[in-house]
Amino acid sequence: MAVNDDELTPLDVMRNAPVIPVIVLNDVAHAVPMARALVAGGIRMLEVTLRTNVALACIEAIAKEVPEAVVGAGTVRSAADAQAAALAGSRFAVSPGYTRAVGKACHELGLPLLPGVATGSEIMMAQEDGYTELKFFPAMQAGGPAMLKAWSGPFGDVKFCPTGGVTPANAKEFLALPNVVCVGGSWLTPADAVAAGDWTRITQLALEAAKLSA
Ligand code: 3PG
């Protein structure tokens, strides 16, 4: 789906493909070939988690060298994380939970944010701050599809990206729910494939993920 990159919204981030890959990179040399491999498979929104000391350098490399990709930062846990992510060239942010400080920082930076929620109170706090497209994390551990069905009543105006324990086997069940736009998962970039530079395998996993639907 075409995206107006200049005015990227959280919904654009969610709608581009059925899966947002959750990426952990330990070597900056892997960033560009991995991003190209995912894009070749039709997966363009890439969440690089701020979990390694090269994560920001990887985001910067992808932003500069892979214009077909839209790189975002995952594991954003503070305003400082959001600022560093934006400075490195992140186009969106994903957080494992929600705080007002992260919400405010992303708003001020113009960084579309998918805040992580696992309870009704967290949904209400994110909504109060203007966030209505949310990451449900950790999705399987926190109640899976049944939880999303229960939320569709009181939170019928909220859309979710379930992440955490989502696999090719259960993704369809999530994607079939009316309040789910996409899912997130780490299975597109297995650590062994990244370490071995097996980009063909990553493209294949991306191709299969891009075809997922309810
Ligand atoms: C994470 O934060 O690591 C993501 O939720 C990915 O979870 P997964 O490895 O279960 O896909």
Side-chain angles (χ1 to χ4, degrees), residues 118-120 136 139 142-152 155 160 174 177 179:
T119 67
F136 173 32
M147 187 75 150
L148 288 157
K149 280 180 201 157
W151 279 344
S152 69
F155 302 116
F160 295 95
F174 281 106
L177 299 171
N179 56 350

Side-chain angles (χ1 to χ4, degrees), residues 130-141:
Y131 292 100
T132 51
E133 285 87 28
L134 310 176
K135 162 176 164 167
F136 173 32
F137 177 79
M140 281 309 286
Q141 297 84 344

Side-chain angles (χ1 to χ4, degrees), residues 186-207:
S186 62
W187 81 86
L188 279 69
T189 53
D192 61 335
V194 177
D198 188 352
W199 312 125
T200 309
R201 181 165 160 222
I202 288 177
T203 295
Q204 186 56 39
L205 289 165
L207 281 167

Side-chain angles (χ1 to χ4, degrees), residues 29-109:
H30 292 151
V32 166
M34 187 221 55
R36 289 194 177 126
L38 289 166
V39 168
I43 299 291
R44 194 175 161 221
M45 297 290 160
L46 313 182
E47 177 190 336
V48 176
T49 56
L50 301 183
R51 294 184 201 174
T52 65
N53 57 12
V54 295
L56 289 168
C58 290
I59 289 170
E60 203 170 334
I62 296 168
K64 278 197 185 128
E65 296 181 44
V66 193
E68 310 86 354
V70 178
V71 65
T75 323
V76 170
R77 296 183 300 171
S78 64
D81 282 349
Q83 282 148 8
L87 202 62
S90 300
R91 308 284 308 282
F92 65 93
V94 184
S95 58
Y98 184 69
T99 67
R100 291 247 136 96
V102 167
K104 185 166 176 278
C106 288
H107 181 72
E108 285 170 1
L109 290 160

